[in-house]
Amino acid sequence: MTFEKGLPFWKQLVLQALALLVAFTVLFPILWIISMSLDPRNLSRPTELNLIPPGASFDAYLKVMDKPTANPVTFTELALNQLKLAGGVSVFAVAVAILAAYSFSRFDFRGRRSLMLTVITVLMLPSIASIAPLFVLLNRASLTDPETGRIIFNLRNSLWGVGLALTSGQLPFAIWNLKGYLDTIPRELEEAARIDGASPNQLFFLIILPLATPAIAVTAFLSFLSGWTEFAISWQFLNQPKDFTLAMSLYNMTGPFSSDVPWSRFAAMALLVAAPVAVVYLLAQRWIVSGLTIGSVK
Amino acid sequence: MAIDTSNPGDFTKWWMRTTYTRAAYLYLVPSFVIMSVITFYPLLYQVWMSFTSYDITNLRINSDPPEWVGLKNYLDILSGALSAKVTNFDFVRILSFNLIWTFTNVPIHVVTGVLIAVLLNTKGLWFKGVYRAIYILPIVLPTLVIATIWRNMFDQTNGAITLGMISLGGVFNIPPEIFRIRWFESLDPPFEWFLPGQPMPWSFYAMLIANIWLGWPFMTIVATGALQSIPSDLYEAASIDGASGVQQFLNITVPLIRPAMVPAAMYGIITTFNLFNFIYMMSRGGPLGQTEILVTQAFKIVNAQQLYGVAAAFSVLIFFILLGLTLLTNVITKGTERYDI
């Protein structure tokens, strides 16, 4: 093998063929779904493989934007619900978690190890495995009309309840992920400031917070991503169509009772759900990927 | 610490000395207050629930408290007696499938990921940037969406896989009926001639294919990072000594990327073990619960059967299984943290 010179031509060809094959397998599902979403014939099912179907149009997107499922909610409402849920949980969890992460990363105090162990223990449990108690407990928080006996508000059956249930899992994740990042920030700067008499608050706001901004953004994005694709808790908790989310509707379009949903609309919906997070991911790829590996490896 | 509070000087000194310790606790307060209410309390409540017959009748406000049943829920789960209430329930089958699912997927992800990373890292390869941009796509798309797309592609009449295989088979005059596989319904284990007695249904293989598509790019990214930190003079020295490409791969590349790949693989194991959205969207545990994993089954006990007490017991069991798995992966990771040349 030679290193300074380029590859021999035949080797280049073989490797190009391999790389193209891999690229083809990666692109195949994506092209399939894009092609299906553009199919104008409103066929319930495609009958052949086509990259660009004859007379491609955005018709399916318009139909999905209007009313994706049989439920009386528009795409905008679904997206707003999902956005409130994912955004709210992510901002809240990260804002609270950065404080705890600072404490865990920078101070030594009695009980530090056992408190950290508590966080990791909770983190280990997937959110599905705490769905039963959260459902039962949040269901108790409800207001009934004293005259008619009808339930006016049930915390479980609202986006607030789902948000609380999601925060329950997101907060330990955010603490741990942020702590992992803060551990990688060198301490020299703080130590100098500390000798000069800076208070813990000054250290946090003037040194740690600015340095941790990329970490905060990545953790917030990862938390947002899990809220954006959250299915199980919303599906279990919510039963009013006005609260439904994108993930729930996507399941509705592919689930057991979806045989009459044209595939072009399912495809358009899938792409619309994926697009916002995919775009952010692609733009901020470098930071997010390093964030993923740090969070997982630490 | 003994403090003489009668002497204000001592107290001030102590107060000054503990500034940082007090701050440490203060910064933890918001998180731990919130987690106490929405995380720790529900989890303890779950342990209590797991010893009761909590079900839908106990949900209404002012309803009677559930009956204390001791270890009944646990015994029902482990002995399989629960199958009277939950269709197709078999704890041993679910746990074994969960492990088989994890330990078939992750090794394939790691090996494929590393090989593709090596391919991309070849000096002088054209269009590297283009390939890198394409190869990241499976990570970029949400798993939930990917699973629905793959389920659609495996449709037995109009799915992309079926249509693709039929047109490819047409070239060799293979009748199209052979390719109309009922991926998610068929109970006949495939490849009998190849793997006699293998217990997995078609839907396992459909999900395996889809999850390989989903899983290798992450490993490629981790491996690429590790590959780029290997000094190239190691390879030069080896090739001067007459080592072949394969020998160099086995004796330089593999040992040097191992410290990065082991933690990534452990992360993959935990993720794959709990891959709820993917399995729930793709096979939904079917056919007849054959591809159910622990978390999808836990969800169904809550969602379909509404047996909250049983679900709580099941979740407590999941906790201990995961604890075991996590400890095991941590031991393995720690053991391979450093590699000395």
Side-chain angles (χ1 to χ4, degrees):
Chain A
M1 223 187 249
T2 52
F3 287 92
E4 280 74 27
K5 290 176 218 153
L7 284 172
F9 188 66
W10 66 270
K11 218 168 205 171
Q12 179 76 264
L13 278 186
V14 172
L15 294 182
Q16 286 294 332
L18 276 174
L20 272 174
L21 182 71
V22 175
F24 172 76
T25 64
V26 167
L27 287 173
F28 184 72
I30 299 169
L31 293 177
W32 161 253
I33 208 79
I34 293 176
S35 144
M36 228 168 29
S37 77
L38 296 174
D39 202 310
R41 290 166 291 176
N42 217 7
L43 297 172
S44 78
R45 304 287 182 258
T47 44
E48 73 237 318
L49 287 170
N50 269 328
L51 185 55
I52 298 174
S57 81
F58 289 105
D59 197 43
Y61 288 90
L62 296 176
K63 292 239 165 60
V64 165
M65 286 301 246
D66 182 38
K67 191 163 161 277
T69 57
N71 293 311
V73 271
T74 63
F75 182 87
T76 319
E77 286 171 288
L78 293 167
L80 271 179
N81 286 340
Q82 194 89 58
L83 192 68
K84 281 184 211 161
L85 207 56
V89 169
S90 147
V91 169
F92 180 73
V94 169
V96 178
I98 184 70
L99 303 173
Y102 170 56
S103 178
F104 279 144
S105 170
R106 287 309 199 255
F107 299 111
D108 201 12
F109 51 90
R110 201 171 298 172
R112 176 174 175 268
R113 280 185 65 87
S114 40
L115 286 176
M116 284 199 324
L117 204 65
T118 334
V119 175
I120 311 175
T121 313
V122 176
L123 192 56
M124 207 182 60
L125 202 64
S127 61
I128 315 287
S130 52
I131 206 167
L134 284 167
F135 180 81
V136 165
L137 289 170
L138 291 168
N139 194 51
R140 292 231 189 104
S142 69
L143 276 176
T144 33
D145 189 329
E147 280 165 29
T148 57
R150 275 185 58 238
I151 295 170
I152 307 167
F153 177 75
N154 185 332
L155 185 57
R156 182 269 301 170
N157 194 0
S158 73
L159 287 172
W160 288 102
V162 177
L164 282 176
L166 290 186
T167 311
S168 156
Q170 285 303 308
L171 190 51
F173 160 76
I175 294 177
W176 199 246
N177 214 40
L178 286 169
K179 184 209 163 274
Y181 279 110
L182 294 191
D183 285 347
T184 64
I185 299 176
R187 286 150 194 267
E188 282 80 19
L189 218 54
E190 282 161 87
E191 270 157 21
R194 214 163 144 164
I195 291 164
D196 290 344
S199 75
N201 292 336
Q202 284 172 322
L203 291 180
F204 177 70
F205 284 106
L206 299 176
I207 298 178
I208 293 290
L209 213 49
L211 286 176
T213 313
I216 292 174
V218 171
T219 311
F221 175 72
L222 292 178
S223 170
F224 182 88
L225 189 66
S226 91
W228 187 257
T229 58
E230 204 289 320
F231 166 75
I233 294 175
S234 331
W235 188 260
Q236 168 68 21
F237 282 27
L238 302 169
N239 32 40
Q240 305 171 77
K242 71 172 179 59
D243 294 326
F244 285 177
T245 63
L246 287 176
M248 291 167 76
S249 307
L250 188 62
Y251 179 72
N252 263 333
M253 295 176 90
T254 57
F257 309 107
S258 63
S259 49
D260 56 342
V261 176
W263 279 8
S264 56
R265 277 187 226 175
F266 152 70
M269 181 74 171
L271 286 167
L272 286 172
V273 173
V277 286
V279 168
V280 177
Y281 225 123
L282 286 173
L283 291 178
Q285 207 190 100
R286 179 174 314 202
W287 295 281
I288 294 166
V289 166
S290 69
L292 265 177
T293 39
I294 285 183
S296 63
V297 169
K298 281 276 158 183
Chain B
M1 188 183 300
I3 312 150
D4 183 3
T5 42
S6 61
N7 183 341
D10 266 11
F11 180 75
T12 318
K13 261 189 226 157
W14 170 80
W15 189 252
M16 294 292 289
R17 193 152 27 90
T18 55
T19 308
Y20 287 94
T21 317
R22 272 182 293 115
Y25 289 118
L26 223 70
Y27 273 82
L28 288 179
V29 167
S31 292
F32 276 83
V33 167
I34 294 166
M35 282 196 291
S36 303
V37 180
I38 61 175
T39 312
F40 302 137
Y41 175 66
L43 289 179
L44 292 176
Y45 191 81
Q46 164 142 292
V47 175
W48 172 77
M49 274 171 79
S50 73
F51 297 111
T52 70
S53 64
Y54 215 119
D55 66 8
I56 191 162
T57 57
N58 307 101
L59 266 190
R60 252 175 303 113
I61 302 158
N62 304 328
S63 57
D64 298 331
E67 218 180 302
W68 179 269
V69 293
L71 287 172
K72 183 175 179 295
N73 290 334
Y74 291 94
L75 296 175
D76 281 359
I77 291 168
L78 295 173
S79 70
L82 189 63
S83 57
K85 287 181 195 159
V86 180
T87 44
N88 304 317
F89 185 87
D90 177 349
F91 185 74
V92 178
R93 190 207 61 223
I94 296 169
L95 180 59
S96 336
F97 177 79
N98 210 155
L99 290 168
I100 293 172
W101 164 252
T102 308
F103 290 98
T104 45
N105 271 288
V106 179
I108 301 179
H109 296 173
V110 174
V111 171
T112 322
V114 168
L115 290 179
I116 292 172
V118 170
L119 168 70
L120 267 191
N121 210 44
T122 312
K123 281 208 174 141
L125 184 78
W126 299 332
F127 317 121
K128 269 187 196 174
V130 179
Y131 291 129
R132 288 230 161 89
I134 292 173
Y135 292 179
I136 191 138
L137 288 171
I139 302 185
V140 164
L141 299 168
T143 312
L144 177 99
V145 174
I146 289 171
T148 58
I149 294 174
W150 276 93
R151 179 177 174 95
N152 175 285
M153 296 213 306
F154 277 109
D155 184 273
Q156 62 159 324
T157 37
N158 305 93
I161 303 271
T162 314
L163 296 182
M165 286 195 304
I166 289 175
S167 47
L168 204 65
V171 179
F172 304 100
N173 281 326
I174 302 172
E177 284 70 37
I178 290 182
F179 300 111
R180 299 205 185 277
I181 299 159
R182 293 160 66 238
W183 289 92
F184 297 105
E185 291 91 29
S186 176
L187 277 167
D188 313 323
F191 315 125
E192 269 291 343
W193 46 271
F194 179 58
L195 292 164
Q198 69 85 23
M200 294 294 142
W202 283 100
S203 72
F204 166 77
Y205 292 97
M207 291 204 295
L208 187 67
I209 293 168
N211 199 36
I212 290 171
W213 184 88
L214 182 64
W216 68 259
F218 175 72
M219 298 299 168
T220 297
I221 286 171
V222 177
T224 304
L227 282 174
Q228 285 170 349
S229 66
I230 301 178
S232 60
D233 47 345
L234 281 181
Y235 292 105
E236 282 160 34
S239 64
I240 289 166
D241 290 346
S244 70
V246 176
Q247 280 174 325
Q248 291 180 24
F249 176 75
L250 291 177
N251 296 313
I252 301 172
T253 312
V254 171
L256 284 174
I257 64 169
R258 205 182 58 176
M261 294 321 292
V262 170
M266 298 304 139
Y267 171 74
I269 286 175
I270 301 289
T271 316
T272 311
F273 194 83
N274 293 324
L275 210 59
F276 176 86
N277 270 356
F278 181 85
I279 293 193
Y280 201 82
M281 294 289 148
M282 206 170 157
S283 78
R284 302 185 196 116
L288 300 181
Q290 296 281 308
T291 57
E292 210 79 75
I293 60 170
L294 292 167
V295 282
T296 56
Q297 185 66 63
F299 183 67
K300 283 186 182 166
I301 299 175
V302 172
N303 189 253
Q305 279 85 26
Q306 306 187 316
L307 300 166
Y308 305 110
V310 177
F314 197 71
S315 299
V316 172
L317 289 173
I318 293 181
F319 173 81
F320 284 108
I321 293 164
L322 279 172
L323 184 67
L325 198 65
T326 311
L327 290 178
L328 185 76
T329 56
N330 274 3
V331 168
I332 298 173
T333 314
K334 285 257 163 58
T336 50
E337 233 164 29
R338 288 208 171 68
Y339 184 82
D340 301 311
I341 310 172

